[in-house]
Amino acid sequence: PHSASPLILLYHRPLNGSRGLQQHHELLSQLSARYQNVQVYTGLHPTTFNATIRTLAQTTLLLGPHGAGLTGALFLPPNSTLLELRPSRYPNTCYEYVAHACRLRYYMYRSTGAAKTTMSVDVPKVMEIVHTILH
C-alpha cells in the first residue's frame, strides 16, 4: 500500500484501433466506485508531456491494454505497479522487461482478442487483481 488514496491511471486506447478495451467504461466505473483517485490516461502527448510526467511520477498503479501508452511506466516511482492487459496470443513481453528494469511490480492479465483486434476482459477478475495489488 502506497497511501490512503492511491492514484490509479487507466490507460485508454480507442476502440477503432487495435487492442482497444471493450469494457473500458465498465472498468473505469468500477474502479471509480471503489477507489477515490482514478484517472484516465491517454498516453504521452507533446502538449501535455510535462503534466503527464508529473502525474505518472505520483501514480501507484498504471493499468491498461498493451500499447505505446504503457511506456509511461518509465516514469512511475519505484515499487509502483504496472498491470498490463495483454491479448492471450500476443507474445510481446516488452512491458514486463520495462517494469523489472524500473523496479516496478508487474502483473499481466491475459485478455481475449488478438494483437490487431479489440480486447475483452473479465472486469470482476481485473478488479480482484487490482484489489490484490493495492492491499
Side-chain angles (χ1 to χ4, degrees), residues 9-43:
L9 294 185
L10 175 60
Y11 172 44
H12 180 259
R13 287 181 67 103
L15 281 176
N16 60 357
S18 62
R19 296 183 307 277
L21 184 60
Q22 291 176 358
Q23 294 83 8
H24 173 85
H25 294 293
E26 180 185 350
L27 183 56
L28 177 61
S29 176
Q30 289 202 25
L31 286 167
S32 297
R34 185 159 189 176
Y35 301 101
Q36 293 178 3
N37 201 359
V38 178
Q39 297 178 23
V40 174
Y41 164 70
T42 59

Side-chain angles (χ1 to χ4, degrees), residues 1-8 35-38 58-60 134:
H2 287 72
S3 69
S5 182
L7 175 55
I8 300 169
Y35 301 101
Q36 293 178 3
N37 201 359
V38 178
Q58 297 183 13
T59 297
T60 303
L134 296 175

Side-chain angles (χ1 to χ4, degrees), residues 9-128:
L9 294 185
L10 175 60
Y11 172 44
H12 180 259
R13 287 181 67 103
L15 281 176
N16 60 357
S18 62
R19 296 183 307 277
L21 184 60
Q22 291 176 358
Q23 294 83 8
H24 173 85
H25 294 293
E26 180 185 350
L27 183 56
L28 177 61
S29 176
Q30 289 202 25
L31 286 167
S32 297
R34 185 159 189 176
Y35 301 101
Q36 293 178 3
N37 201 359
V38 178
Q39 297 178 23
V40 174
Y41 164 70
T42 59
L44 297 168
H45 304 287
T47 56
T48 58
F49 186 80
N50 290 337
T52 302
I53 297 303
R54 284 191 298 276
T55 300
L56 286 162
Q58 297 183 13
T59 297
T60 303
L61 170 62
L62 171 60
L63 75 146
H66 177 94
L70 293 185
T71 58
L74 292 167
F75 303 100
L76 296 176
N79 299 315
S80 295
T81 303
L82 174 63
L83 170 53
E84 177 183 8
L85 310 176
R86 189 188 320 155
S88 57
R89 285 176 266 143
Y90 193 61
N92 189 330
T93 59
C94 64
Y95 294 113
E96 184 173 0
Y97 294 120
V98 166
H100 288 117
C102 294
R103 298 187 330 257
L104 306 175
R105 295 167 50 205
Y106 176 82
Y107 290 77
M108 190 264 296
Y109 173 90
R110 290 206 184 277
S111 66
T112 62
K116 300 295 181 191
T117 65
T118 58
M119 295 182 355
S120 183
V121 298
D122 180 329
V123 173
K125 285 186 180 176
V126 173
M127 291 298 295
E128 283 179 31

